[in-house]
Every structure is written in structure tokens, then in C-alpha cells.
Amino acid sequence: MKIKIGDTVRFLDSVGGGVVKAFCSGNVVMVETEDGFDVPVYENEVVVITPGSTLVPKAELKLPVKEEVRVEHKPKPVHPRPTSKAGEKLNIVLAYLPDEINELGKCGYEAYIVNESNYDLYLIYSTEDRDTGERKMLFSGNIPYDSVEYIESFAVEDLSDRRRIACQIIPYKSDTKYGAKPCIDAVVKLEPQRFFKRHAFAPNPYFDEGAITFVLMNDDKEAPRFEIRSEDIQSKMDEKIRQDQKIKAKAKPVIDPNAPLVVDLHHHELLDTTVGMEPKDILEYQKRTVIETMEANLKFPGKKIIFIHGKGDGVLRKEVEKIMKSRYDFCSMQDASFQEYGFGATQITIRKEQRKQR
């Protein structure tokens, strides 16, 4: 009996069965089980269940037949599998599109996988908890070669649950021999606020509409993780300090040796970019800058240092005071000149070091 989409089938080589959801290349059908999982199997490994069949219990005959949902996007490839060398390299992109670009913040969103390669992909698309690493699968299934595949739709309220998206991918070819490639486990960090900004949905070669895109694989090379972890922040902070020290070493000497050293602690003066950094990470970098500056100038008694922290909500000012009282209590501290620096600056005068025994 010829298998059709919507048929209820039973697995011949294992327990269970489900409903035929789609046809894939290489005589493979996609079967949705009772648990909602998509399982790829060969057509000759399933049998269609008919009423009165003795192959399965009657209970299994009641599996619901879902209507096929067609999504408007580039169709699955109907052309023969390409054989070009360029296509042998994996190029995979995860993309997000709004349902209505003029209703950002109110409309829903759709996720797609772009597969620009000669390989089929088996994808498991999940959310990941940053603290525990636990994942919740949202989609699993085949992504045909040279295709754009719909993955999921979600409401704007669900963005907070998708701050980290994990994509586990197995490249393969169902109908021919192929060179084995490593499995991919890419984690993408989504920034919910981007989904509310029209310019974030940029023009791209895959869709007529603008999209937020993340490159998972580029010419067989896994793209960097889309987040800055604590160890990455530490490395960037160390590198920034080394660069600052090199610049200071090359700088011309100050004409007035008694002029105060002015250090602007605003993050846009200290960092080239804050992408991927949380407020606590930025504050940690600012505190470290204060300590590094103090340590470098303790050998100059009488030296004045002006830390510009801004008025703001006073968080950075309090941190500067806390550092001075806990580490450099032998130095004097006062508000800097209002005429020169306004309310948002603190002046430190280096005194002969007399650290307390700790």
C-alpha cells in the first residue's frame, strides 16, 4: 500500500508508530509519534495501519491525524543533490522573522533554519537554562540540503524563555556516500530587546523581509558562541588593561608634573563595546580600573587622581568610596572641583603608604 501524508503507521523494527508528517529525500518519511517527536524512518521500515489490522492493538488505531500545515517560505529542494565542492562545506544560519514588522512588541515571531550545503541535517532545536544547562526541546526533524525550513512560531511573551537557544545538528546524506562531519552543538544568546527594534531585522540573502540572523556554521567552521561568558570578560579586561599600559608607556610625558591624573570611569570611555556584557560586568571592569590606577600611582606621594564617575544613581560613586575605605584608607578623598568636574567626580590624593594589617 502506498504511504500518504496523514497515514497512521507502525514501525516494523521497533515498538510504536505514529502519523506520517512529511516525505524526505532518499525514501525517508517523517513520522510524528504519540509523544510529539518527529522520527525519520525508511518507507520499507513502516507499515500502514488499516481498520481491523492485527498488527497493532486497537488503541493505536486512534492516533489523531493532523492536517498538513503549509508555511510560506522557500520550498524543499526538488532538484538533484548538488555535487559542487563549495556545497560540501556547511553553511547554516538561524533566522527570526516577525509576523508583522509594523507591530513589533505585539506580534508573534517565526524561526527558520537556512541550510546552504549539499548535506541533509538532523536538527534538535531547544531552549537552554543558563544556570543549570538543562534543555527543553522545541523541534526535532530533518532539514533537507539547500533549503530554508520553518522551525517554530512563538508569541512575544515567550521571548523571555528563549534567551538561550541550543541547536544540535547531525550532517548526513540519505541517498549517497558522504564524508563524515562532526556533530554541531551551537548555543545562541538571544537579546529580547532586539526583537522590538525595527532596524534589528536587517536585509539578508535568504528572505524578502528583514530578519535577525545568527551564523551557526560558516564554511565548515563553527561560529563563535553568541555570548560573553565570565572567563571571556576577564580575558577582555586583562587585554584592555595591557593595551592601556602600552599606550601610557608610549605617551609623551605630562608637561605639568603636578597636574592631576583624570580617569573617566564612564563605560563608553573605558570599553570599545559593551555587547554581551551585563551591568554587573561593566561595573566590575570600572572597579578594576580604579584599583589598577591606584596601584600604579601609590609610589607618587602627593599625586592627585580625579575619578569621574558621573552623578547618576550614585552606584559607581559608592563603589569608588568603598574601594578607597577598604584598600587605600591612608589616602585622602574629597569631592573634586565642582567648577571643573561638576558633581560627578571624586579627588584622591596619594599619601605615603601605610596599609592596615589585614
Side-chain angles (χ1 to χ4, degrees):
M1 180 180 295
K2 184 175 178 60
I3 299 175
K4 304 184 298 298
I5 291 178
D7 282 346
T8 301
V9 297
R10 171 184 170 84
F11 300 139
L12 294 178
D13 295 336
S14 60
V15 177
V19 177
V20 175
K21 184 178 179 182
F23 291 95
C24 306
S25 57
N27 298 321
V28 174
V29 296
M30 187 65 63
V31 177
E32 182 178 7
T33 66
E34 289 182 281
D35 298 327
F37 293 99
D38 291 340
V39 179
V41 295
Y42 287 104
E43 290 185 37
N44 59 5
E45 293 180 353
V46 297
V47 61
V48 177
I49 299 172
T50 57
S53 170
T54 59
L55 288 174
V56 294
K58 291 185 178 180
E60 292 196 29
L61 297 176
K62 298 180 181 179
L63 288 172
V65 178
K66 295 185 178 181
E67 295 183 2
E68 182 181 6
V69 179
R70 295 187 178 274
V71 180
E72 293 298 329
H73 62 274
K74 292 184 179 180
K76 295 181 179 180
V78 294
H79 54 274
R81 188 184 301 273
T83 57
S84 64
K85 289 185 177 180
E88 290 298 302
K89 293 184 177 180
L90 296 178
N91 286 281
I92 307 171
V93 175
L94 173 62
Y96 291 93
L97 282 76
D99 290 340
E100 177 51 61
I101 190 65
N102 295 320
E103 296 290 335
L104 296 180
K106 299 178 181 179
C107 69
Y109 299 88
E110 295 180 338
Y112 292 84
I113 282 286
V114 180
N115 177 14
E116 289 190 300
S117 75
N118 299 344
Y119 279 75
D120 300 311
L121 308 173
Y122 189 80
L123 168 69
I124 299 176
Y125 172 93
S126 313
T127 59
E128 181 182 272
D129 186 282
R130 176 169 183 169
D131 296 325
T132 65
E134 293 181 340
R135 296 181 177 182
K136 179 181 179 181
M137 187 178 71
L138 302 178
F139 169 89
S140 67
N142 282 320
I143 309 298
Y145 60 86
D146 195 20
S147 68
V148 176
E149 289 296 301
Y150 167 82
I151 301 300
E152 68 153 345
S153 297
F154 56 90
V156 65
E157 294 83 5
D158 298 325
L159 270 171
S160 59
D161 297 328
R162 287 166 171 75
R163 291 179 181 273
R164 288 164 62 90
I165 293 293
C167 294
Q168 295 173 282
I169 302 172
I170 302 175
Y172 71 99
K173 293 182 181 180
S174 60
D175 55 357
T176 185
K177 293 181 179 180
Y178 61 91
K181 293 183 180 291
C183 297
I184 302 158
D185 189 4
V187 178
V188 174
K189 181 179 179 181
L190 301 188
E191 297 177 4
Q193 62 270 24
R194 291 187 65 195
F195 287 73
F196 294 83
K197 299 176 181 178
R198 189 185 184 101
H199 68 268
F201 295 89
N204 59 88
Y206 317 113
F207 304 93
D208 294 333
E209 306 88 354
I212 295 176
T213 57
F214 300 92
V215 178
L216 303 183
M217 293 291 291
N218 182 23
D219 286 344
D220 265 354
K221 296 179 181 178
E222 189 169 350
R225 296 178 70 91
F226 299 93
E227 62 178 316
I228 299 180
R229 296 176 176 270
S230 57
E231 56 267 26
D232 298 327
I233 294 172
Q234 185 67 44
S235 175
K236 288 181 179 293
M237 290 167 65
D238 292 339
E239 179 61 27
K240 177 66 176 177
I241 290 172
R242 286 194 292 270
Q243 291 177 356
D244 290 345
Q245 290 174 341
K246 289 181 180 178
I247 293 174
K248 290 177 182 178
K250 296 179 180 179
K252 296 180 179 180
V254 180
I255 297 177
D256 182 3
N258 297 318
L261 172 63
V262 179
V263 180
D264 194 334
L265 296 176
H266 287 97
H267 65 78
H268 56 267
E269 294 291 338
L270 298 177
L271 297 163
D272 295 330
T273 178
T274 57
V275 174
M277 297 180 71
E278 297 180 0
K280 63 179 182 180
D281 302 321
I282 297 174
L283 181 59
E284 192 62 34
Y285 186 86
Q286 292 167 319
K287 289 163 58 179
R288 183 164 177 172
T289 299
V290 172
I291 295 172
E292 291 285 341
T293 302
M294 290 298 297
E295 292 296 327
N297 288 276
L298 286 178
K299 57 186 176 181
F300 304 116
K303 182 74 173 178
K304 291 180 172 58
I305 302 175
I306 307 296
F307 289 112
I308 299 177
H309 43 66
K311 187 176 179 182
D313 54 10
V315 174
L316 184 53
R317 177 191 179 95
K318 291 177 182 178
E319 290 297 332
V320 172
E321 292 178 353
K322 189 184 300 182
I323 291 172
M324 293 303 149
K325 292 177 181 179
S326 63
R327 301 175 67 107
Y328 308 106
D329 54 332
F330 50 88
C331 296
S332 63
M333 176 174 60
Q334 66 186 70
D335 290 336
S337 170
F338 173 77
Q339 292 182 338
E340 293 186 56
Y341 308 105
F343 286 111
T346 297
Q347 176 178 300
I348 307 298
T349 303
I350 303 297
R351 303 300 184 193
K352 187 174 181 181
E353 185 174 357
Q354 295 178 350
R355 293 182 187 265
K356 292 181 180 180
Q357 296 296 323
R358 304 186 189 282

